[in-house]
Amino acid sequence: MHVPHKEEALAIKESSAFLIEQSYILDEECRGNTPQVLIHYVSCAKRDIYDVILEHRGFCNGTFDKDGYLVSRDWHKCGPEDE
């Protein structure tokens, strides 16, 4: 049985809009060059938790063209075009 980490348990209660907003912010912190390595790793881990929750709620991250190339990174409700 999976026992959620405290951060994961708190995030599950948040709205999808909040998680999407935080995912973008944390992604910037994760990709950025911060002198504080711990902040970098914590941001990446939190972003990953939020992203999994959003995916379980039926959201997809990214829009692709007909050839399968990534056009943009954006959270949206998954639809037939995401298959």
Side-chain angles (χ1 to χ4, degrees):
M1 181 174 139
H2 173 73
V3 177
H5 182 271
K6 180 181 177 185
E7 183 68 36
E8 184 180 356
L10 293 173
I12 289 171
K13 298 176 183 178
E14 295 292 350
S15 71
S16 296
F18 174 82
L19 294 177
I20 289 170
E21 178 185 346
Q22 291 301 304
S23 176
Y24 287 132
I25 293 169
L26 293 167
D27 189 55
E28 288 296 319
E29 291 176 4
C30 181
R31 293 172 183 268
N33 292 328
T34 177
Q36 297 177 334
V37 176
L38 182 59
I39 290 174
H40 171 80
Y41 287 114
V42 169
S43 296
C44 295
K46 286 175 74 171
R47 179 208 55 197
D48 292 347
I49 290 169
Y50 292 1
D51 290 359
V52 168
I53 294 168
L54 288 165
E55 289 167 3
H56 281 284
R57 290 183 182 179
F59 285 86
C60 290
N61 189 4
T63 303
F64 298 86
D65 66 14
K66 62 182 172 74
D67 297 320
Y69 292 102
L70 182 67
V71 176
S72 67
R73 285 250 176 240
D74 62 325
W75 282 105
H76 59 278
K77 275 297 210 181
C78 297
E81 67 279 358
D82 296 305
E83 296 297 320

